Amino acid sequence: MTVLETQELKKYYGSGDTLVKALDGVDLRVENGEFVAIVGTSGSGKSTLLHILGGLDRPTGGSVRVEGKDIFSLKDEELTIFRRRKIGFVFQAYNLVPVLSAYENIILPIQLDGGQVDKDYVGRVIEALGLEQRLNSLPSQLSGGQQQRVAIARALAAKPAIILADEPTGNLDSKTSQDVLSLMKITSQKFAQTMVMITHNEEIAQTADRIVRIEDGRIVAR
Ligand SMILES: Nc1ncnc2c1ncn2[C@@H]1O[C@H](COP(=O)(O)OP(=O)(O)OP(=O)(O)O)[C@@H](O)[C@H]1O
Ligand SMILES: [Mg+2]
């Protein structure tokens, strides 16, 4: 089953002399359970693509379908709800709520959506990420790697259609980065969770099911 599909996706910034074609006709398809790495030089359009895939920004042209739904046919409020339900994000900055414990952070999106926490599933996610001993800690009491593992658990817990990650290890040292990236890959497999991840780490990119290479807003290899 196809989880995500873009058609002729375009994002232009500015106009005239300052026109930047950040995305210039991207056709991408991601199948259920796939772990896709997006690579490309700085300024090639990776973050722009990821933001639009997740409905955080609207394209200049083209479409994005998530589970068959054309997400930009939705009004802003509907898109916000759709995003909360269907998309999990993992960013370089962990974006945890500082006054909530690790566990409270993990289940927050489910609660915001008025959903039931699948305790068995969330328990298995926590175990897979090695967070059992840290559940009552506040983000400020956790290391960067632990905070990012909480953010990954939070993204997985809600069982989204797709998890989108933009250089999730940009703030971590190389050993911790390696651990966090392999955990993304391992949990994607273990929970059959579709993931699209931007990374500069060629070694990890090589372990992905597929590498999508982007240059000047276009896909040059997939
Ligand atoms: N809000 C904006 N306004 C104008 N130009 C923008 C905006 N956001 C991005 N761009 C431009 O679009 C292009 C693609 O940017 P993007 O952030 O997607 O690159 P990237 O591949 O994620 O790079 P990096 O690896 O450095 O994170 C760049 O030329 C950038 O300057
Ligand atoms: Mg970027």
Side-chain angles (χ1 to χ4, degrees), residues 126-140:
I126 287 167
E127 194 188 335
L129 288 159
L131 288 168
E132 304 97 314
Q133 308 303 322
R134 314 301 323 197
L135 292 178
N136 296 320
S137 304
L138 294 172
S140 61

Side-chain angles (χ1 to χ4, degrees), residues 46-47 166-167 198:
K46 304 180 297 297
S47 295
D166 192 347
E167 290 185 51
I198 297 174

Side-chain angles (χ1 to χ4, degrees), residues 30-103:
V30 179
E31 303 297 326
N32 195 23
E34 260 194 308
F35 182 80
V36 177
I38 297 187
V39 301
T41 54
S42 180
S44 56
K46 304 180 297 297
S47 295
T48 303
L49 176 61
L50 206 82
H51 281 104
I52 293 178
L53 294 182
L56 290 171
D57 200 3
R58 288 182 184 265
T60 308
S63 64
V64 174
R65 287 179 185 277
V66 175
E67 292 183 338
K69 177 107 199 151
D70 179 352
I71 65 172
F72 296 114
S73 69
L74 300 171
K75 296 196 194 80
D76 283 351
E77 312 84 79
E78 294 168 330
L79 183 55
T80 302
I81 294 167
F82 186 86
R83 196 165 56 219
R84 200 189 287 150
R85 251 173 228 169
K86 295 292 183 181
I87 315 282
F89 291 100
V90 180
F91 293 113
Q92 192 166 322
Y94 322 115
N95 295 337
L96 301 176
V97 180
V99 296
L100 298 182
S101 70
Y103 185 73

Side-chain angles (χ1 to χ4, degrees), residues 169-219:
T169 61
N171 286 329
L172 304 172
D173 64 60
S174 64
K175 163 77 171 70
T176 311
S177 296
Q178 204 70 29
D179 294 348
V180 166
L181 291 174
S182 5
L183 277 170
M184 302 261 325
K185 165 83 179 155
I186 290 164
T187 52
S188 152
Q189 263 174 346
K190 188 174 175 104
F191 301 108
Q193 173 65 62
T194 314
M195 289 191 193
V196 174
M197 180 174 82
I198 297 174
T199 180
H200 279 127
N201 186 316
E202 279 288 337
E203 207 177 314
I204 286 292
Q206 294 301 332
T207 71
D209 296 324
R210 190 148 58 96
I211 299 179
V212 170
R213 205 166 287 275
I214 173 163
E215 248 174 52
D216 294 332
R218 291 169 176 275
I219 291 178

